[in-house]
Amino acid sequence: DWLASSNAYNMSFMLSAQLAASSLNVRHMRFSDSQVVDASNVCDSTGYCLGLITIGNVRTLANTSLGSAGGNITISGSDHRESQNLMKNFLDAINNNWLAFAQSEACTVFYPSEEEPGE
């Protein structure tokens, strides 16, 4: 109920809900903190976009923001609201599989054997 009923009046509530959902996804190995995500289209109102970033990096930034002075009450006019909205949008996008994920482990590379001429 808490996750489903969170709202963005206080952005820290919405960021907390998305952070909790991403924590469950990491804990249940749906994705990992070391996974790289293309968040080139996750931008703030100034045009700053996240680009290629790890899930763990954003989760750490979110935790730091929520624990900082004034980070738990981010209503309209708060200095933290814009950055929390950016992190919330990123976490919402990964929780709903809206962004391109890189593999969490290296892919197997197949090198075909070269045939000798005339074979």
Side-chain angles (χ1 to χ4, degrees):
D1 283 346
W2 174 74
L3 285 174
S5 64
S6 59
N7 65 62
Y9 171 75
N10 181 348
M11 188 58 69
S12 67
F13 291 169
M14 201 66 210
L15 177 59
S16 295
Q18 292 298 334
L19 185 58
S22 70
S23 296
L24 289 170
N25 283 324
V26 168
R27 177 172 287 174
H28 294 284
M29 297 185 286
R30 183 167 175 243
F31 48 72
S32 73
D33 277 333
S34 62
Q35 220 163 348
V36 177
V37 177
D38 182 2
S40 299
N41 62 345
V42 180
C43 308
D44 66 14
S45 65
T46 68
Y48 169 76
C49 304
L50 290 174
L52 294 175
I53 193 163
T54 66
I55 293 169
N57 187 289
V58 176
R59 287 175 11 95
T60 298
L61 290 171
N63 271 318
T64 301
S65 178
L66 290 167
S68 67
N72 61 345
I73 301 174
T74 52
I75 57 175
S76 182
S78 167
D79 293 338
H80 298 279
R81 188 172 175 89
E82 178 89 19
S83 64
Q84 285 189 357
N85 187 51
L86 180 68
M87 291 179 280
K88 183 268 301 175
N89 288 343
F90 172 85
L91 294 171
D92 185 24
I94 63 165
N95 289 330
N96 289 291
N97 202 27
W98 295 334
L99 297 175
F101 287 71
Q103 293 288 66
S104 58
E105 296 178 10
C107 299
T108 303
V109 178
F110 174 73
Y111 297 101
S113 62
E114 292 185 34
E115 294 184 9
E116 292 293 322
E119 287 185 18

